[in-house]
């Protein structure tokens, strides 16, 4: 009887079962729930303070500063990073040396130190001027503290530091593009700049965007370091409030919550960009007779 | 000026101490089809890439359409041109690669019209018309909106030919255009190339397709170890080779 059943053509193939996934899933859920409960029920945490400050105008204003500073810094950093990456891949040794020096310098010193440095620039150079060196000709001059307010110092510090990191990401993306692409472009009479803009960079984007999305999230959180030069972003606002009402933990939870919301929301445009630059590469996206079918047939 | 399209005079090329081309001299007249055959590593592809200056040369000279390619003569030396001047010269020379090298982020039509619009300044409307005509010519009009990854190797190579033709070149270079294709797809690509030859295009083809060389070539060159061993009509070189090395090579291939 059993033999008969086994020989039957009418058998069902069952995929591998994963019972341990349920076990570990259960343990992880229990730990997570326990942690949330511990925080929620801690007597030191006053829930009314959290709800009171969640939508406080100062917190919301801090968020808007955090967001626009992040976007501006990432924009400047990405442009600089692309220039640095192209310089580092240049045949010109001087360009390579300059780019390498910049990257090494800004990656090699702590971000906090750089922020404080730019914030205190007015102490080192009380006056800034534009003119011709070693002559008395000056086109323009002014007090450093007025020309570079704290927020500008913060933007400079974050942008330059981020450019150094992103440059390596962009460089990796450019190197990932097949050299045959450049040859084909050359053979059609395209100039180097045109080839970079229209052929190489759009393909490099596919490789660049996922790690750059990471950098974006990192940047959003690093803006909190601008507290040391008193830029009124989210963390600064939260700590200013808590230094008055002494509800440190509650305000950390408030700002932490909003940071989490912002970093989560940033993931959506990233996925849209990944789809855009994945065109022509994705097998799943094949419209009529893509490779996916062919592979299946073979 | 005669109607010489390509004139190569003792072209030399080395990578370090490795001599790849040891003085190659040949001419191709307008409308002629030259096939270059030879074992792998013989320098035949390198020579082809020197013709549009994808590779620089170390000695000798190459003229295309009466113009010194990639260099300017100054007394007894050749000075390399600026990249922009070389780019201008390359516009008149189409090239088709062994691995197609289509731009994967663009559709077939976009691949074809990118250079006419971006390099020659043709209007988008005009370029689209030209692109559609060329895709029809290579038998792929209905694939215009497909990305390269959605096309077979043979179809990709035909798009690549259309892309090169879109710049209205005076000379077409083919670097083993069928070597990366499945056997059943080779015929379509060769048919397109035969059509081009018939229409009077000047072509230099590095190939292992002896049948194609016999049928289409006006001249066949056998290159081995960076030197021309034998040159002549397909009949002379392929059917009645004089040199022992040519005979040995053909025995292996045919």
């Amino acid at each position: 009887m059993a033999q008969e059943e086994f020989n039957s053509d009418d058998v069902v193939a069952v995929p591998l079962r994963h019972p341990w996934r349920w076990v570990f899933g259960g343990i992880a859920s229990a730990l997570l729930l326990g942690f949330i409960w511990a925080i929620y029920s801690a007597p030191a945490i006053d829930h009314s303070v959290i709800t009171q400050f969640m939508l406080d105008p100062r917190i919301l204003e801090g968020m808007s500063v955090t967001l626009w500073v992040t976007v501006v810094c990432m924009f400047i950093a990405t442009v600089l990073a692309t220039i640095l990456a192209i310089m580092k891949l240049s045949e010109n040794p001087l360009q390579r040396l300059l780019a390498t020096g910049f990257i090494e310098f800004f990656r090699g010193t702590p971000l906090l130190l750089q922020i404080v440095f730019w914030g205190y620039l007015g102490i080192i150079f009380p006056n800034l001027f534009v003119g011709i060196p070693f002559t008395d000709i000056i086109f323009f001059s002014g007090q450093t503290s007025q020309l570079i307010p704290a927020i500008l110092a913060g933007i400079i510090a974050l942008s330059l530091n981020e450019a150094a990191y992103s440059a390596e990401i962009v460089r990796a993306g450019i190197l990932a593009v097949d050299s045959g692409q450049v040859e084909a472009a050359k053979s059609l009479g395209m100039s180097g700049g045109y080839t970079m803009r229209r052929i190489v960079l759009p393909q490099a984007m596919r490789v660049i965007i996922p790690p750059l999305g990471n950098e974006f999230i990192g940047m959003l959180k690093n803006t909190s370091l601008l507290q040391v030069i008193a830029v009124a972003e989210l963390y600064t606002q939260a700590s200013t409030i808590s230094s008055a009402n002494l509800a440190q933990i509650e305000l950390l939870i408030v700002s932490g919550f909003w940071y989490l919301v912002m970093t989560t929301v940033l993931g959506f445009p990233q996925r849209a960009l990944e789809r855009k630059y994945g065109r022509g590469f994705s097998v799943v996206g094949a419209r009529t007779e893509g490779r996916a079918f062919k592979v299946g047939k073979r | 000026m005669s109607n010489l399209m390509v004139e190569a005079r003792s072209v030399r090329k080395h990578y370090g101490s490795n001599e790849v081309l040891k003085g190659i001299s040949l001419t191709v007249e307008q409308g002629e089809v030259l096939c270059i055959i030879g074992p792998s590593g013989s320098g035949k592809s390198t020579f082809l890439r020197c013709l549009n200056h994808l590779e620089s040369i170390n000695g000798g000279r190459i003229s295309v359409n009466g113009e010194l390619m990639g260099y300017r003569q100054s007394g007894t030396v050749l000075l390399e041109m600026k990249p922009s001047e070389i780019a201008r010269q390359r516009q008149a020379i189409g090239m088709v690669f062994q691995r197609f090298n289509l731009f994967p982020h663009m559709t077939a039509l976009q691949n074809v019209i990118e250079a006419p619009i971006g390099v020659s300044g043709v209007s988008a409307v005009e370029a689209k018309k030209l692109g559609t005509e060329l895709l029809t010519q290579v038998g792929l009009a209905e694939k215009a909106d497909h990305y390269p990854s959605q096309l077979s190797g043979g179809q990709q190579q035909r798009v690549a030919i259309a892309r090169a033709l879109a710049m209205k070149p005076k000379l077409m270079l083919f670097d083993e255009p069928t070597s990366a294709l499945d056997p059943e797809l080779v015929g379509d690509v060769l048919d397109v190339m035969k059509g081009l030859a018939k229409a009077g295009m000047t072509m230099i083809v590095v190939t292992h397709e002896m049948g194609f060389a016999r049928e289409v070539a006006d001249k066949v060159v056998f290159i081995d170890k960076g030197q021309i061993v034998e040159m002549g009509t397909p009949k002379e070189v392929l059917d009645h080779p004089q040199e022992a090395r040519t005979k040995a090579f053909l025995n292996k291939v045919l």
Side-chain angles (χ1 to χ4, degrees):
Chain A
M1 181 61 204
Q3 188 66 31
E4 237 168 72
E5 263 175 50
F6 189 75
N7 279 333
S8 161
D9 287 343
D10 190 23
V11 290
V12 179
V14 180
L16 179 63
R17 289 168 210 237
H18 299 281
W20 286 104
R21 286 185 188 174
W22 292 98
V23 175
F24 286 120
I27 294 172
S29 309
L31 285 175
L32 185 64
L33 280 172
F35 178 71
I36 292 172
W37 177 250
I39 297 255
Y40 184 77
S41 60
I45 297 174
D46 186 345
H47 299 126
S48 66
V49 178
I50 296 178
T51 41
Q52 182 195 340
F53 285 102
M54 203 50 117
L55 294 171
D56 188 276
R58 283 167 293 178
I59 292 289
L60 297 183
E61 204 190 301
M63 265 173 72
S64 99
V65 172
T66 292
L67 273 178
W68 78 254
V69 167
T70 301
V71 171
V72 167
C73 287
M74 272 319 279
F75 178 78
I76 299 173
T78 308
V79 172
L80 277 179
T82 309
I83 296 170
L84 284 169
I86 292 171
M87 281 172 74
K88 212 175 166 184
L89 292 168
S90 157
E91 284 172 20
N92 182 336
L94 185 65
Q95 286 193 14
R96 280 204 305 271
L97 188 71
L98 276 174
T100 309
F102 180 97
I103 292 169
E104 290 302 320
F105 182 80
F106 284 97
R107 277 199 317 193
T109 50
L111 177 54
L112 188 58
L113 184 153
Q114 291 175 29
I115 290 170
V116 175
F117 173 83
W118 287 106
Y120 290 175
L121 197 65
I123 295 172
I124 314 169
F125 307 110
N127 289 295
L128 288 183
F129 62 88
V130 179
I132 300 173
F134 311 116
T135 65
D136 289 335
I137 303 169
I138 290 175
F139 301 115
F140 169 83
S141 79
Q143 254 190 312
T144 306
S145 54
Q146 277 169 359
L147 288 175
I148 306 184
I151 194 145
L152 183 58
I155 289 173
I156 294 173
L158 289 172
S159 304
L160 294 185
N161 182 268
E162 183 55 43
Y165 281 95
S166 298
E168 293 296 272
I169 293 174
V170 175
R171 190 169 71 98
I174 292 174
L175 287 175
V177 177
D178 182 53
S179 62
Q181 293 291 309
V182 176
E183 289 191 347
K186 276 185 180 175
S187 78
L188 290 164
M190 292 178 189
S191 69
Y194 188 89
T195 304
M196 186 53 77
R197 212 170 61 244
R198 295 282 305 173
I199 308 300
V200 176
L201 284 180
Q203 293 182 57
M205 287 299 256
R206 200 172 60 95
V207 179
I208 292 171
I209 286 169
L212 212 57
N214 241 355
E215 294 298 306
F216 216 111
I217 286 169
M219 173 66 81
L220 189 112
K221 294 179 297 180
N222 281 343
T223 54
S224 64
L225 293 173
L226 298 185
Q227 193 230 12
V228 296
I229 55 170
V231 172
E233 46 70 54
L234 177 55
Y235 182 74
T236 310
Q237 295 282 16
S239 55
T240 308
I241 296 170
S242 66
S243 63
N245 69 3
L246 299 180
Q248 276 92 354
I249 304 297
E250 287 80 355
L251 278 140
L252 282 183
I253 291 174
V254 168
S255 57
F257 171 80
W258 284 121
Y259 278 115
L260 203 54
V261 168
M262 289 191 285
T263 52
T264 308
V265 170
L266 277 177
F268 295 114
Q270 180 184 342
R271 254 158 275 154
L273 275 178
E274 278 178 31
R275 264 198 304 280
K276 179 179 173 210
Y277 287 102
R279 272 181 321 184
F281 287 94
S282 143
V283 174
V284 185
R287 270 181 288 181
T288 49
E289 41 170 282
R291 281 249 168 85
F293 297 95
K294 274 215 155 153
V295 172
K297 266 191 222 162
R298 268 177 201 164
Chain B
M1 233 11 249
S2 66
N3 52 353
L4 273 189
M5 182 56 76
V6 177
E7 186 184 19
R9 276 158 61 184
S10 47
V11 173
R12 283 178 289 112
K13 166 86 186 166
H14 56 77
Y15 298 109
S17 62
N18 180 21
E19 272 199 284
V20 191
L21 301 176
K22 301 170 187 163
I24 302 258
S25 300
L26 56 78
T27 58
V28 181
E29 292 189 17
Q30 200 169 344
E32 244 183 353
V33 176
L34 169 74
C35 281
I36 303 178
I37 60 171
S40 57
S42 59
K44 55 191 193 308
S45 282
T46 306
F47 175 68
L48 196 75
R49 294 158 57 82
C50 288
L51 292 179
N52 67 351
H53 205 72
L54 279 184
E55 302 273 357
S56 59
I57 59 177
N58 300 111
R61 58 176 68 205
I62 293 169
S63 302
V64 176
N65 206 19
E67 213 178 311
L68 208 52
M69 184 67 208
Y71 297 89
R72 162 180 312 114
Q73 187 155 10
S74 166
T76 56
V77 291
L78 297 182
L79 301 175
E80 193 170 17
M81 287 180 174
K82 282 190 287 183
S84 59
E85 295 172 287
I86 296 171
R88 183 187 54 77
Q89 289 189 323
R90 285 192 184 117
Q91 291 175 30
I93 309 173
M95 188 162 194
V96 174
F97 300 86
Q98 182 176 0
R99 292 189 305 117
F100 330 134
N101 296 350
L102 286 182
F103 306 132
H105 58 304
M106 299 180 183
T107 64
L109 184 65
Q110 286 169 342
N111 262 280
V112 176
I113 65 178
E114 180 65 29
I117 293 175
V119 178
S120 321
V122 176
S123 76
V125 179
E126 195 126 321
K128 250 181 206 166
K129 200 172 135 241
L130 170 73
T132 312
E133 273 170 31
L134 285 169
L135 286 177
T136 311
Q137 187 185 332
V138 300
L140 290 171
E142 78 281 13
K143 302 284 184 194
D145 295 328
H146 285 56
Y147 284 95
S149 63
Q150 298 167 305
L151 300 173
S152 74
Q155 290 169 337
Q156 287 188 55
Q157 193 60 299
R158 280 143 66 198
V159 173
I161 294 174
R163 177 177 70 175
L165 291 175
M167 290 301 284
K168 305 209 163 85
K170 297 194 168 74
L171 167 69
M172 284 284 285
L173 308 176
F174 293 86
D175 188 5
E176 303 197 27
T178 58
S179 298
L181 298 178
D182 290 342
E184 81 269 21
L185 304 174
V186 169
D188 291 338
V189 173
L190 291 183
D191 285 343
V192 169
M193 291 168 63
K194 282 176 200 166
L196 270 183
K198 228 175 250 165
M201 177 61 78
T202 313
M203 294 162 58
I204 301 182
V205 186
V206 171
T207 187
H208 292 294
E209 295 290 332
M210 296 305 153
F212 175 82
R214 189 172 278 127
E215 189 185 333
V216 181
D218 299 295
K219 227 188 297 184
V220 174
V221 176
F222 173 65
I223 293 183
D224 190 20
K225 299 191 178 108
Q227 284 173 317
I228 292 182
V229 178
E230 208 162 339
M231 176 156 52
T233 63
K235 221 176 206 133
E236 288 167 349
V237 178
L238 299 177
D239 297 338
H240 307 289
Q242 302 298 308
E243 299 290 327
R245 273 196 280 175
T246 319
K247 285 177 193 167
F249 173 73
L250 289 172
N251 265 335
K252 272 186 227 162
V253 194
L254 293 176

